[in-house]
Amino acid sequence: WAQGMSRLFLLGVAGSAALKIGPLGGATVRPALRPSPPAVATAPSPAAWALPLMLSQMPLPAVAADDGFSSASYYTTLALYVLAFPGVYSLVKRSTKSKVVQKTYEVAGPAAPAGRPTRELAGDILAFFQANNYKVKDRGEVIVFEGVQAPLAGRAAFLTFCVFISLASLALVLTILEQSVFGEGNGIGNLWYLSTLVSPVAGKYYLDNAERTEIFKVRIVTSDDEATSDVSVEGDDEEVDRFQRTLDLSEKGMVRVKGLFEA
């Protein structure tokens, strides 16, 4: 049982470490950018504190006296957990930063049969950013929009959950390793699970540091024959993805294929 559970939780923490918060491929719709007051981190509910205490009172996992499982395997499992934990730290740190990308979209120009005047296209782009509470920072050949990204409570909860599962799985491995080395009843035992009490710190870190100013740059270039227009954008990758979906744009040189759940 100990061998199976340690391997199962090893896979779990490795999967948690591999996750990242980046482009969500349209599966999750990001809320509109909006000016907001500084996020106030609320204290975790009593239930959040009760779960680690309940884990610490659970019966210790039984370790068979002779199951043919080398003690070196326990050390190997523990080493893999330790190596995977920098990924959890990186997940929390990167959650407060944006990934800036550049993309160019091609649309029908004013002279094309299904084309629209450049001024009308520019009006649609301006309407998109105003609807998401962006402000025009600079009007020139390149239009610069500025907005404030507020923290997301759901993302803070997700980070807290990932850290909780990672620490809980590490605690399980440590309790099994401790019994195999020192014998049952010796050592810290289930008190290792109290380490999960620090998991809300990940959510609080995100809430305290996630608010940031987003800069979005747009440039429209029409060909000499006015058959096509190129819309070049630069900004946060999630916001660029939403910009593309909202205005139904296709990246230059590529054909956009709608997903199964897209209308």
Side-chain angles (χ1 to χ4, degrees):
W1 180 91
Q3 175 184 359
M5 288 299 296
S6 61
R7 291 181 176 177
L8 176 61
F9 277 93
L10 171 60
L11 295 176
V13 72
S16 300
L19 289 174
K20 70 177 183 177
I21 300 178
L24 302 182
T28 302
V29 179
R30 183 177 172 188
L33 295 178
R34 58 194 182 280
S36 64
V40 178
T42 58
S45 64
W49 297 109
L51 186 55
L53 297 175
M54 292 173 60
L55 290 174
S56 66
Q57 299 300 319
M58 290 174 54
L60 289 171
V63 179
D66 183 14
D67 56 359
F69 191 59
S70 171
S71 60
S73 299
Y74 288 114
Y75 290 104
T76 302
T77 302
L78 177 61
L80 291 175
Y81 268 90
V82 173
L83 291 175
F85 259 77
V88 180
Y89 174 80
S90 176
L91 172 69
V92 177
K93 291 288 290 184
R94 287 185 290 108
S95 65
T96 61
K97 296 178 174 60
S98 61
K99 179 183 177 182
V100 178
V101 297
Q102 294 180 340
K103 289 188 178 182
T104 299
Y105 303 100
E106 187 176 70
V107 298
R116 296 184 299 166
T118 304
R119 183 178 296 272
E120 183 178 337
L121 175 62
D124 289 347
I125 294 174
L126 179 62
F128 168 82
F129 286 105
Q130 288 180 338
N132 291 283
N133 294 322
Y134 277 95
K135 295 180 180 179
V136 179
K137 184 178 181 180
D138 184 28
R139 293 178 182 268
E141 185 177 354
V142 177
I143 304 177
V144 180
F145 297 92
E146 183 180 72
V148 176
Q149 170 63 50
L152 307 176
R155 186 165 294 178
F158 172 74
L159 290 171
T160 301
F161 174 77
C162 288
V163 174
F164 177 86
I165 293 299
S166 300
L167 293 175
S169 57
L170 177 62
L172 175 64
V173 174
L174 290 174
T175 56
I176 297 174
L177 178 64
E178 192 177 57
Q179 288 185 73
S180 67
V181 175
F182 302 108
E184 187 174 355
N186 299 320
I188 297 178
N190 281 340
L191 293 179
W192 285 111
Y193 288 107
L194 294 179
S195 63
T196 58
L197 289 172
V198 303
S199 56
V201 175
K204 186 179 186 304
Y205 172 82
Y206 170 78
L207 292 174
D208 291 343
N209 298 277
E211 184 169 320
R212 61 183 183 268
T213 300
E214 296 280 8
I215 299 296
F216 206 102
K217 299 179 181 180
V218 180
R219 181 183 181 186
I220 303 176
V221 179
T222 302
S223 61
D224 294 336
D225 58 1
E226 296 189 342
T228 60
S229 294
D230 291 344
V231 181
S232 300
V233 299
E234 177 183 329
D236 178 68
D237 58 344
E238 293 183 27
E239 198 63 25
V240 169
D241 184 64
R242 181 166 63 164
F243 173 81
Q244 176 183 353
R245 295 196 313 269
T246 302
L247 298 183
D248 194 21
L249 300 175
S250 297
E251 197 168 348
K252 187 174 183 178
M254 301 177 65
V255 177
R256 180 169 178 263
V257 179
K258 292 186 177 181
L260 295 176
F261 300 101
E262 292 188 62

